[in-house]
Amino acid sequence: MITSIRFNEIEKEVRTAVAELFDRAAKDQENYILWLADADYLEDWDPPLHNPYVLSNKQDYYKEYGRMEFSQFYLNKVYNMGKHVDQTIDHPLGIQFEMMIYCHIWESNRFLKQLFRLDKIASGHGFRWKVSMPTSHKNKFIRKLKKRLKNGGLKIGDIIDKGFHNSIRKSFLHTEFEINDLNKLIELHTYRVGPKESHDIDQIDFASWTERFIYSVMFDYTFMNEKVKRRKNIVNDWGRDDFQVQWPTGSDQSRTLTIYFDHIRGDFDFQRVSSSDIQTHHEQQTEQRETSENVEPEIGQSDFVLIDVQIRELIRSLISKMSDKAIEGYFEYWLFDIEHDIERNEFISLALKDDTRLQTTASVIHEIYIEKKVELPIEIRIQIELLIYSWIWESKPFLRLLRNASIIISGDGDLGSPLEQDRRKLISEIVMKFEAGGCELGTFINSIFYPSLRNAFAHSDYDLNLHNKLIILDTFRNVNSDWDISSISFDDWNKCFLGTVALDYIFILVKDLYKETYPKEFLQTFLDELNKSNK
């Protein structure tokens, strides 16, 4: 919860800090202009460029478009407080969307790279062409950046301090959090005790979370918007549209070039743009918008009915085979959420259902797809779907349920062994054990699980290409695996998403139905034997 007064105070504080950073950097005119012009070094461009130093690199901009659209959409819906509303209301579903936005801000390579370069200019170190962004451990990169900004006396360092906390980012990435609505807390299960983890926190209250979220999202929005505004006003601010810059030619050499700004198109080039080129540009933009209007693939109730029937049959077949094949007691351990704790040599009861996640998923599916009460732009809808997809494949309760079922069906493994931390390896083992046990569920999982999708979403490293109806995944590493993909069509994505959601929900539903029909006299005998073994 946050009041409109406090929201406005944070907004003003962030705007002041961002303006201070921009003004400091603008004192180094040449390098500041390069930064406004989106100059960049594209080493891995395919096909290779004759000169990897480019002007007006819009590649990162298009990757960020969907993320920024979602942030603005959410802020307008939730934090647009008018004269009759002076504070927001906390809601578990809203908090989960906020955690997604928050994580994507602090995982965004473009945002962090832009901030890193502007900091270098502001501190007198010129324009950094080559910026190597970490693929993991972003917290170290952010902490160093924050420290430099603070040492330079820039208020933006304090803004980062008030917004970013790695424990929150890490907990969301790995679905290791729980929203305690009763006590108004977000419990973070990535908390570790030790000198290296002294900055870790195990929980954050709703009010403190909202402040961190607002600081982060306002910083992200204001920073990016200020750059667009200053580039658009560059002719008025500087009194000309031509600027001399030092352009690298390789081997630490450079030459002086003139770049030009066209205030109609809002971009830079090495030559002034003619009026005919401007007309062509506008026509192309109009054509793209018209082509993109009807790209959204339809998903309706019938799609869910078809996948529901398929998965129910797969799971019933699996449970039937498990009850026949299981070592004595193993099926009951699985059915009633009991595991053998190897270290303590006793049987313990586990909570194998993530109720908050399941309720959120059910609510979203019902509102958006079944009842169609909420109409969302496709770039917003797909991001919500990616969020749910990632939650499911990171959920320990769900994966433990699958893993233990695969152990029973294959007769290979111990129900009490810890979960493999590498999700790719864990799910690969689950699939192989299901297939070894003659269970078709393994083939189904193999068709819907793509670690590339989860990784791209978690690290905000994807692009929604509306024109070609593709999700472009920039985490692709050309690994020799069917699971590693560089893109997926909207139609194929729908199949992955629907299959994953249905598997998650129906697996637990069917399991609970079996639990309710389990003979009570057998259950009592089983529990009595279990109590004796613990004693």
Side-chain angles (χ1 to χ4, degrees):
M1 182 180 72
I2 192 169
T3 65
S4 58
I5 294 174
R6 181 60 185 142
F7 183 93
N8 292 333
E9 287 174 350
I10 294 175
E11 183 180 16
K12 183 179 179 181
E13 182 183 356
V14 171
R15 289 188 186 280
T16 301
V18 169
E20 178 191 47
L21 174 61
F22 274 71
D23 291 342
R24 176 84 64 88
K27 293 177 181 178
D28 181 354
Q29 177 188 313
E30 181 178 313
N31 289 304
Y32 176 68
I33 294 297
L34 279 173
W35 182 78
L36 284 181
D38 286 325
D40 211 341
Y41 176 79
L42 301 180
E43 184 177 22
D44 299 325
W45 193 263
D46 186 23
L49 298 171
H50 175 67
N51 185 346
Y53 300 95
V54 300
L55 191 67
S56 296
N57 173 27
K58 290 292 181 275
Q59 182 184 14
D60 285 343
Y61 169 78
Y62 292 121
K63 290 178 188 174
E64 292 287 85
Y65 177 77
R67 182 180 70 78
M68 298 296 290
E69 281 285 294
F70 189 95
S71 295
Q72 292 178 44
F73 173 84
Y74 184 82
L75 284 175
N76 289 335
K77 289 287 184 182
V78 178
Y79 289 92
N80 188 16
M81 292 172 277
K83 61 182 180 180
H84 300 299
V85 180
D86 64 356
Q87 66 183 27
T88 60
I89 299 173
D90 298 317
H91 189 278
L93 177 57
I95 289 174
Q96 292 179 72
F97 285 146
E98 289 175 4
M99 290 182 79
M100 179 191 80
I101 295 169
Y102 178 90
C103 188
H104 280 179
I105 291 170
W106 297 113
E107 281 288 326
S108 168
N109 281 338
R110 180 179 189 264
F111 172 62
L112 294 175
K113 185 166 67 173
Q114 293 280 321
L115 182 58
F116 175 86
R117 279 181 169 148
L118 195 60
D119 165 57
K120 287 293 183 183
I121 297 169
S123 58
H125 293 98
F127 184 81
R128 180 70 67 88
W129 285 94
K130 299 179 183 180
V131 180
S132 179
M133 296 300 300
T135 55
S136 60
H137 303 296
K138 289 270 175 55
N139 58 308
K140 294 180 180 178
F141 183 89
I142 294 168
R143 285 205 302 266
K144 288 180 181 178
L145 181 55
K146 176 184 70 176
K147 184 177 180 181
R148 286 198 304 270
L149 289 162
K150 281 188 167 185
N151 290 343
L154 289 163
K155 298 184 183 73
I156 209 70
D158 295 322
I159 300 299
I160 295 174
D161 230 357
K162 295 174 181 179
F164 176 73
H165 200 293
N166 190 52
S167 295
I168 302 171
R169 183 196 70 90
K170 189 167 56 173
S171 294
F172 176 82
L173 275 179
H174 301 288
T175 321
E176 290 277 12
F177 67 92
E178 181 181 348
I179 297 176
N180 186 332
D181 197 26
L182 180 64
N183 297 312
K184 306 300 179 187
L185 291 172
I186 306 173
E187 298 172 5
L188 309 174
H189 300 312
T190 52
Y191 177 69
R192 298 290 181 271
V193 178
K196 291 185 178 179
E197 291 82 22
S198 58
H199 56 280
D200 261 8
I201 56 174
D202 62 351
Q203 63 183 31
I204 183 170
D205 62 76
F206 284 4
S208 299
W209 156 250
T210 302
E211 290 243 339
R212 283 195 178 273
F213 171 71
I214 297 301
Y215 269 108
S216 297
V217 77
M218 286 308 303
F219 176 30
D220 176 46
Y221 173 78
T222 305
F223 182 82
M224 294 303 193
N225 194 53
E226 186 72 9
K227 180 173 184 177
V228 172
K229 185 178 74 175
R230 294 208 180 199
R231 183 167 56 204
K232 191 178 293 185
N233 294 334
I234 197 168
V235 175
N236 292 331
D237 292 344
W238 296 81
R240 63 180 194 275
D241 65 357
D242 58 315
F243 302 90
Q244 287 192 334
V245 296
Q246 291 300 309
W247 198 263
T249 57
S251 303
D252 296 326
Q253 302 295 314
S254 64
R255 59 178 175 143
T256 302
L257 291 179
T258 301
I259 61 175
Y260 300 89
F261 178 78
D262 174 64
H263 66 276
I264 297 176
R265 196 177 60 173
D267 217 339
F268 284 84
D269 208 332
F270 291 108
Q271 57 185 5
R272 283 194 171 94
V273 182
S274 67
S275 57
S276 61
D277 287 337
I278 294 170
Q279 180 62 32
T280 301
H281 171 76
H282 285 319
E283 289 172 358
Q284 290 174 343
Q285 292 291 96
T286 302
E287 182 182 350
Q288 283 186 3
R289 281 195 296 270
E290 290 173 351
T291 307
S292 300
E293 282 178 356
N294 299 312
V295 298
E296 183 169 358
E298 287 295 321
I299 302 177
Q301 190 167 358
S302 60
D303 298 289
F304 286 96
V305 171
L306 289 172
I307 199 78
D308 181 288
V309 171
Q310 180 188 3
I311 292 178
R312 282 177 191 268
E313 188 57 38
L314 287 173
I315 294 170
R316 287 193 184 107
S317 174
L318 167 68
I319 293 178
S320 176
K321 288 181 179 179
M322 285 168 63
S323 62
D324 292 338
K325 286 188 171 188
I327 300 170
E328 186 177 355
Y330 265 34
F331 179 69
E332 285 77 10
Y333 297 156
W334 179 82
L335 190 63
F336 294 102
D337 306 332
I338 296 167
E339 270 195 12
H340 179 212
D341 188 318
I342 297 173
E343 292 183 1
R344 293 188 291 177
N345 192 28
E346 66 181 25
F347 293 91
I348 57 174
S349 178
L350 295 171
L352 287 181
K353 286 198 294 183
D354 183 349
D355 289 331
T356 300
R357 179 178 57 76
L358 288 168
Q359 289 167 9
T360 299
T361 301
S363 174
V364 169
I365 295 299
H366 186 78
E367 293 287 322
I368 297 177
Y369 302 104
I370 306 299
E371 295 292 329
K372 293 187 178 292
K373 292 180 179 178
V374 181
E375 293 292 334
L376 296 175
I378 188 170
E379 59 269 24
I380 305 298
R381 197 202 74 200
I382 288 180
Q383 287 183 84
I384 293 174
E385 292 171 354
L386 283 165
L387 167 66
I388 294 170
Y389 182 87
S390 298
W391 275 348
I392 292 170
W393 293 116
E394 278 290 332
S395 167
K396 283 185 177 179
F398 173 65
L399 292 176
R400 185 179 282 111
L401 196 67
L402 282 178
R403 193 281 307 267
N404 289 353
S406 73
I407 287 174
I408 294 173
I409 204 74
S410 66
D412 179 15
D414 192 308
L415 299 187
S417 58
L419 277 182
E420 166 65 49
Q421 293 299 308
D422 185 331
R423 292 294 187 261
R424 178 196 295 264
K425 187 176 179 181
L426 171 62
I427 295 167
S428 177
E429 289 175 354
I430 290 170
V431 168
M432 286 190 292
K433 287 179 178 178
F434 276 143
E435 291 178 343
C439 177
E440 294 179 6
L441 188 60
T443 304
F444 180 78
I445 293 172
N446 206 32
S447 71
I448 60 174
F449 172 69
Y450 289 98
S452 301
L453 280 166
R454 191 209 70 83
N455 291 341
F457 174 78
H459 300 289
S460 190
D461 217 357
Y462 63 94
D463 175 24
L464 301 181
N465 186 324
L466 302 185
H467 183 69
N468 295 312
K469 304 180 186 179
L470 290 172
I471 304 176
I472 310 297
L473 310 174
D474 297 311
T475 51
F476 178 65
R477 295 294 177 264
N478 200 24
V479 179
N480 186 22
S481 168
D482 292 338
W483 280 350
D484 280 291
I485 54 175
S486 59
S487 65
I488 186 169
S489 69
F490 286 176
D491 286 338
D492 286 341
W493 160 246
N494 285 341
K495 294 172 187 174
C496 288
F497 171 67
L498 293 179
T500 297
V501 168
L503 175 63
D504 176 43
Y505 183 76
I506 296 170
F507 202 156
I508 293 171
L509 180 66
V510 173
K511 175 176 172 287
D512 285 349
L513 289 174
Y514 268 82
K515 190 188 298 185
E516 290 173 9
T517 59
Y518 191 84
K520 288 183 171 55
E521 62 273 17
F522 290 170
L523 173 59
Q524 190 57 52
T525 302
F526 170 72
L527 293 175
D528 289 343
E529 290 297 322
L530 197 63
N531 289 329
K532 287 179 184 178
S533 64
N534 279 342
K535 290 177 182 177

